[in-house]
Amino acid sequence: MNNYTDNPKAKGRSFLSTQDWPKEDLVRLLDLARAMKDGKLPGRPALAGKSVALLFFNPSLRTRTSMELAAWQLGGKAVVLQPGKDAWPIEVKDGVVMNGEAEEHVKEAVKVLAGFCDAIAVRAFPKFRDWSLDKKDPVLSAVAKWSDKPVINMETIVHPLQELALAMTMREHFGPDLKGKKFLLTWTYHPKPLNTAVANSAAMIATRMGMDLTILRPAGYDLDDDFMAVAMRNARENGQKITVTDNIEEAYRDKGFVYAKSWGSLKYFGRWDEEKPIREGLKRFIVDRAKMALTNRAFFSHCLPMRRNVKATDEVVDSGQSLIYEEANNRLHTAKALLASIL
Ligand code: CP
């Protein structure tokens, strides 16, 4: 699926993908997040004297804020660095002649940060030119290779922190056992080709929790085969199935949870001028009241940021069934539980 090369000397536990964690550990983490949300904090600050470096190669509102506050509320310190903006541009390939933009190699950057800090967290989106290269998750893999401290994925080609918040939110509304609940992951129109990370993650966490997953996507917008294989294995292990369809009415019918996300076509990856006219013909995939009426009074959510009346209508986003703010809010509680667990 990816080329994470966890440093064998790494101390503590990394969080690169939820698939690396046993389900019972994920559930324990979600229970801890819920206890923290209820104000049942550990007796002493869990991160007293500890620090985490947050490396942002791409912008963020929720991830940055929740991780910074999580560290601070637990008595620790987060140091935010944006390579190429307020920190040196970083080269991640080994053995290259560094005569381009990068001033610093990832080996030095990571070894220095791992010397200062107790964990390193990374956000590094795909370059959107060649999926076969992006799929190797080169930045996260390089950080994991050189760090002897735990590494946290803050969204690369998967978004495990979002998975935690999504799972926590669904458990709060369906109860702790999500098995058999009908989850729809729907592709939506967006004017730009976006990362498949949240969609990969939604498919993985929904099936991991034993949900009945339907993926609604137009032809040509299938998720990567390797992530689908993981989701199918999760589903099989839970006695569930996955339905992939382009039939909008069938997909929405009887669902209990509708999760909206847009992503770029892997079939046209890097050839975005060719993809654009296809995408422009797919605006009907917007989540609206008529589609939600086909469901079993489904909850609606989205990871945010979200373009209103492009991905979902105001009516849906502002309805009583919308959980967008709860899911975003749960990013803080799950971030705290994660930091407390791995540090
Ligand atoms: N959902 C999410 O990760 O939001 P940000 O991109 O704002 O961090």
Side-chain angles (χ1 to χ4, degrees), residues 168-310:
M168 179 174 180
T169 307
M170 291 195 292
R171 292 173 97 227
E172 287 175 336
H173 287 273
F174 286 132
D177 186 4
L178 298 175
K179 195 159 184 175
K181 301 290 183 201
K182 291 182 186 299
F183 183 98
L184 171 62
L185 167 63
T186 176
W187 183 91
T188 66
Y189 169 76
H190 186 285
K192 294 179 186 168
L194 302 182
N195 198 353
T196 50
V198 170
N200 293 332
S201 276
M204 290 195 296
I205 197 68
T207 50
R208 199 80 191 285
M209 293 292 150
M211 301 179 86
D212 175 326
L213 170 66
T214 296
I215 301 176
L216 170 63
R217 92 289 173 256
Y221 286 79
D222 282 315
L223 295 176
D224 181 82
D225 284 347
D226 289 345
F227 288 106
M228 285 303 297
V230 171
M232 281 190 263
R233 192 183 67 222
N234 290 342
R236 250 192 330 271
E237 285 172 3
N238 284 296
Q240 298 294 328
K241 61 178 174 48
I242 299 178
T243 305
V244 180
T245 181
D246 60 0
N247 185 316
I248 294 175
E249 285 75 24
E250 269 179 30
Y252 274 81
R253 203 172 307 283
D254 294 331
K255 294 301 175 296
F257 200 95
V258 174
Y259 203 53
K261 186 71 187 80
S262 188
W263 60 87
S265 167
L266 297 181
K267 195 172 160 189
Y268 290 93
F269 205 88
R271 293 181 287 129
W272 302 117
D273 288 348
E274 282 178 64
E275 192 229 22
K276 182 82 174 158
I278 299 167
R279 165 180 296 276
E280 290 303 313
L282 297 169
K283 292 180 180 171
R284 66 185 179 280
F285 281 82
I286 188 171
V287 184
D288 57 21
R289 190 166 64 167
K291 295 187 187 80
M292 291 299 287
L294 298 168
T295 68
N296 181 17
R297 282 191 47 75
F299 295 108
F300 166 81
S301 198
H302 186 283
C303 63
L304 306 182
M306 177 189 59
R307 294 191 185 216
R308 280 173 175 262
N309 302 307
V310 171

Side-chain angles (χ1 to χ4, degrees), residues 59-64 123 125 155 159 162 303-305 331:
S60 167
L61 185 149
R62 281 142 290 270
T63 306
R64 177 173 172 173
R123 166 166 285 198
F125 291 171
E155 189 177 352
H159 197 350
Q162 196 70 48
C303 63
L304 306 182
R331 290 291 307 271

Side-chain angles (χ1 to χ4, degrees), residues 18 21-28 177 207-210 238:
T18 52
W21 282 45
K23 186 174 171 185
E24 54 271 25
D25 290 3
L26 291 175
V27 168
R28 205 172 296 132
D177 186 4
T207 50
R208 199 80 191 285
M209 293 292 150
N238 284 296

Side-chain angles (χ1 to χ4, degrees), residues 129-148:
R129 287 192 286 271
D130 181 343
W131 175 240
S132 69
L133 299 179
D134 285 338
K135 190 177 165 178
K136 292 180 179 159
D137 220 348
V139 179
L140 187 68
S141 301
V143 174
K145 175 179 174 181
W146 295 117
S147 177
D148 62 1

